[in-house]
Amino acid sequence: MRTLKNAKLLAIITAALAGALAALVGYGVATSGSGVIGLIGFLTVGVASLLLWLTVGASEKEARSEIATLTDGKTAAEKVAREGAAIIDALDRTGARIEFDLEGNILRANSNFMAATGYSEDEIVGRHHSIFCNADYVKSPEYKEFWQRLGSGDFDDGKYQRFAKNGDEVWLQAAYSAVLDESGKPEKVIKFASDITEREQIAKAAAYKSAAFASVSTALIVLDAEGTITFANDGATKLFADQADGF
């Protein structure tokens, strides 16, 4: 802004000098019998000086406008960044999050992910995603293709079977998504997940009971510790047909 003020001051000085020069030239010419020509010269230089003044003034206004635009843009970008951080923070409080490079190496993970898998962050950072997977799946073409797609920027979501540090089965409802850099190229992969292990265990137990007891002719009902019916075979539903909806 100081540069613009200096330029404006220079324009004023230039206009004054040009006016004085024009007056001298006009006076000299006038004394030689060409007063009209001198007057034209004075007006020409004066107009040129005025245009210079207006140009500098316009440049200052444009600069002020540009600075305001840049400031507004910076403010908007900062707002988006704050909102993005707030969203990530909210997701971290309720769900599991883990980040990978494009090859599947672990960069960081939040406490919910650690709780679901039984690892500490120090134990997994720098290691490959495959530590959570079945060994046969890791060797399969499907697993290789899985990371090729993620590394190229593709999105993947669904229900995934994984394994905790102690070998226990863990089920995650998750979404893998590429994070893009400023040029639109993938730079890392982030995964948000919910631990649905308990739900899957209940479903698996129900399926087992259904397969084992469905053909038993005797009416059979299974209740949990709170007395809620978790399974009723065909014999039970036929016996209590009018209350089948309650099962």
Side-chain angles (χ1 to χ4, degrees), residues 25-192:
V25 172
Y27 176 78
V29 175
T31 56
S32 63
S34 302
V36 175
I37 296 176
L39 180 60
I40 292 173
F42 175 81
L43 291 175
T44 301
V45 177
V47 170
S49 300
L50 178 60
L51 290 175
L52 177 59
W53 164 268
L54 292 175
T55 300
V56 172
S59 297
E60 183 176 7
K61 290 180 180 178
E62 291 173 357
R64 289 180 182 274
S65 176
E66 185 67 22
I67 291 171
T69 300
L70 291 174
T71 301
D72 291 342
K74 181 181 178 182
T75 302
E78 290 174 345
K79 181 180 179 182
V80 170
R82 287 196 302 271
E83 290 177 347
I87 291 171
I88 294 295
D89 183 59
L91 291 171
D92 273 350
R93 289 196 298 270
T94 59
R97 175 177 58 87
I98 186 168
E99 298 177 25
F100 309 89
D101 65 18
L102 299 182
E103 285 72 44
N105 299 303
I106 300 165
L107 301 175
R108 61 185 62 85
N110 72 355
S111 59
N112 290 326
F113 191 90
M114 299 296 97
T117 59
Y119 287 96
S120 68
E121 190 172 21
D122 290 341
E123 290 177 308
I124 64 171
V125 170
R127 299 179 69 181
H128 196 268
H129 169 267
S130 56
I131 64 173
F132 306 119
C133 302
N134 177 281
D136 291 336
Y137 174 56
V138 171
K139 296 175 184 177
S140 70
E142 290 79 11
Y143 185 69
K144 182 178 180 181
E145 181 186 356
F146 174 73
W147 275 105
Q148 286 176 340
R149 288 189 291 103
L150 292 177
S152 66
D154 281 358
F155 175 86
D156 199 274
D157 68 330
K159 183 169 64 177
Y160 303 91
Q161 180 196 49
R162 299 292 183 252
F163 293 90
K165 180 180 178 180
N166 62 4
D168 286 351
E169 184 181 63
V170 176
W171 284 93
L172 299 174
Q173 187 72 44
Y176 294 81
S177 180
V179 177
L180 308 180
D181 62 17
E182 294 180 354
S183 65
K185 295 181 180 180
E187 64 176 1
K188 63 180 178 180
V189 174
I190 188 168
K191 171 185 177 180
F192 290 101

